Coordinates of all heavy atoms in Angstrom, one line a residue:
C1 N 0.8 -1.2 0.0 CA 0.0 0.0 0.0 C 0.8 1.3 0.0 O 0.3 2.4 -0.3 CB -1.0 0.0 1.2 SG -2.3 -1.2 1.1
G2 N 2.1 1.1 0.3 CA 3.0 2.3 0.3 C 2.9 3.2 1.5 O 3.3 4.3 1.5
Y3 N 2.4 2.7 2.6 CA 2.2 3.5 3.8 C 3.5 3.8 4.6 O 3.5 4.7 5.4 CB 1.3 2.8 4.8 CG -0.2 2.7 4.4 CD1 -1.0 1.6 4.6 CD2 -0.8 3.9 3.8 CE1 -2.3 1.6 4.2 CE2 -2.1 3.9 3.4 CZ -2.9 2.7 3.6 OH -4.2 2.7 3.3
G4 N 4.5 3.0 4.4 CA 5.8 3.2 5.2 C 5.5 2.8 6.6 O 4.8 1.8 6.9
V5 N 6.1 3.6 7.5 CA 6.0 3.3 9.0 C 4.5 3.3 9.4 O 4.2 2.5 10.3 CB 6.8 4.3 9.8 CG1 6.6 4.1 11.3 CG2 8.3 4.2 9.4
Y6 N 3.7 4.1 8.8 CA 2.3 4.1 9.2 C 1.7 2.7 9.0 O 0.9 2.3 9.9 CB 1.6 5.2 8.3 CG 0.1 5.2 8.4 CD1 -0.6 6.0 9.4 CD2 -0.8 4.4 7.6 CE1 -2.0 6.0 9.5 CE2 -2.1 4.5 7.7 CZ -2.7 5.3 8.7 OH -4.1 5.3 8.8
G7 N 2.0 2.0 8.0 CA 1.5 0.7 7.7 C 2.0 -0.3 8.7 O 1.4 -1.4 8.9
K8 N 3.1 0.0 9.4 CA 3.6 -0.9 10.4 C 2.9 -0.8 11.8 O 2.6 -1.7 12.5 CB 5.1 -0.6 10.6 CG 5.8 -1.4 11.7 CD 7.2 -1.0 11.8 CE 8.0 -1.7 12.9 NZ 7.4 -1.5 14.3
D9 N 2.6 0.5 12.1 CA 2.1 0.8 13.4 C 0.6 1.0 13.5 O 0.0 1.0 14.6 CB 2.8 2.1 14.0 CG 4.3 1.9 14.1 OD1 4.7 0.7 14.2 OD2 5.0 2.9 14.0
V10 N -0.1 1.3 12.4 CA -1.5 1.7 12.5 C -2.3 0.5 13.2 O -1.9 -0.6 13.1 CB -2.1 1.9 11.1 CG1 -2.1 0.7 10.2 CG2 -3.5 2.5 11.1
N11 N -3.3 0.9 13.9 CA -4.2 0.0 14.6 C -3.4 -0.9 15.6 O -3.6 -2.1 15.8 CB -4.9 -1.0 13.6 CG -6.1 -1.7 14.2 OD1 -6.8 -1.2 15.0 ND2 -6.3 -2.9 13.8
N12 N -2.3 -0.3 16.2 CA -1.4 -0.9 17.1 C -0.8 -2.2 16.5 O -0.5 -3.2 17.3 CB -2.2 -1.3 18.4 CG -2.7 -0.1 19.1 OD1 -2.0 0.9 19.3 ND2 -4.0 -0.1 19.6
G13 N -0.5 -2.2 15.2 CA 0.1 -3.3 14.6 C -0.8 -4.4 14.2 O -0.3 -5.4 13.7
D14 N -2.1 -4.3 14.4 CA -3.0 -5.3 14.0 C -3.4 -5.1 12.5 O -4.4 -4.4 12.2 CB -4.3 -5.3 14.9 CG -4.0 -5.8 16.3 OD1 -2.9 -6.5 16.5 OD2 -4.8 -5.6 17.2
V15 N -2.5 -5.5 11.6 CA -2.7 -5.2 10.2 C -2.6 -6.6 9.5 O -2.3 -7.6 10.1 CB -1.6 -4.3 9.7 CG1 -1.7 -2.9 10.4 CG2 -0.2 -4.8 9.8
C16 N -2.8 -6.5 8.2 CA -2.9 -7.8 7.4 C -2.5 -7.5 6.0 O -2.5 -6.4 5.4 CB -4.2 -8.4 7.5 SG -5.5 -7.5 6.5
T17 N -2.0 -8.6 5.4 CA -1.9 -8.7 3.9 C -3.1 -9.4 3.4 O -3.7 -10.3 4.1 CB -0.6 -9.6 3.6 OG1 0.5 -8.9 3.9 CG2 -0.6 -10.0 2.2
A18 N -3.6 -9.0 2.2 CA -4.8 -9.6 1.7 C -4.6 -10.1 0.3 O -3.7 -9.7 -0.4 CB -6.0 -8.6 1.7
S19 N -5.5 -11.1 -0.1 CA -5.4 -11.6 -1.5 C -5.7 -10.6 -2.5 O -6.2 -9.5 -2.2 CB -6.4 -12.8 -1.6 OG -7.7 -12.3 -1.5
R20 N -5.3 -10.8 -3.7 CA -5.5 -9.9 -4.8 C -7.0 -9.5 -4.9 O -7.4 -8.4 -5.3 CB -5.0 -10.4 -6.1 CG -3.5 -10.4 -6.3 CD -3.1 -10.9 -7.6 NE -3.4 -12.3 -7.8 CZ -3.3 -12.9 -9.0 NH1 -2.7 -12.3 -10.0 NH2 -3.6 -14.2 -9.1
R21 N -7.9 -10.5 -4.7 CA -9.3 -10.3 -4.8 C -9.8 -9.2 -3.8 O -10.6 -8.3 -4.1 CB -10.1 -11.6 -4.6 CG -11.6 -11.5 -4.6 CD -12.2 -12.8 -4.4 NE -11.9 -13.4 -3.1 CZ -12.6 -13.1 -2.0 NH1 -13.6 -12.3 -2.1 NH2 -12.3 -13.7 -0.9
L22 N -9.3 -9.2 -2.6 CA -9.6 -8.2 -1.6 C -8.9 -6.9 -1.7 O -9.3 -5.9 -1.3 CB -9.4 -8.8 -0.2 CG -10.4 -10.0 0.2 CD1 -10.0 -10.6 1.5 CD2 -11.8 -9.6 0.2
Y23 N -7.6 -7.0 -2.2 CA -6.8 -5.9 -2.3 C -7.3 -4.9 -3.4 O -7.1 -3.7 -3.2 CB -5.4 -6.4 -2.7 CG -4.3 -5.3 -2.9 CD1 -3.9 -4.6 -1.8 CD2 -3.7 -5.0 -4.1 CE1 -2.9 -3.6 -1.9 CE2 -2.8 -4.0 -4.2 CZ -2.3 -3.4 -3.1 OH -1.4 -2.4 -3.2
K24 N -8.0 -5.4 -4.4 CA -8.6 -4.5 -5.4 C -7.7 -3.5 -6.1 O -8.0 -2.4 -6.3 CB -9.8 -3.7 -4.8 CG -10.9 -4.6 -4.2 CD -11.9 -3.7 -3.5 CE -13.0 -4.5 -2.8 NZ -14.0 -3.6 -2.1

């Protein structure tokens, strides 16, 4: 997604990778 550090820490680190179908 290109978020950088934001993508690491957002939602207290409760993040995910998704399949191409969900990634859109």
Side-chain angles (χ1 to χ4, degrees):
C1 288
Y3 287 140
V5 175
Y6 174 87
K8 175 182 181 297
D9 298 333
V10 66
N11 197 37
N12 296 315
D14 290 343
V15 300
C16 71
T17 289
S19 65
R20 285 182 297 174
R21 179 178 62 84
L22 294 174
Y23 182 67
K24 302 178 186 177

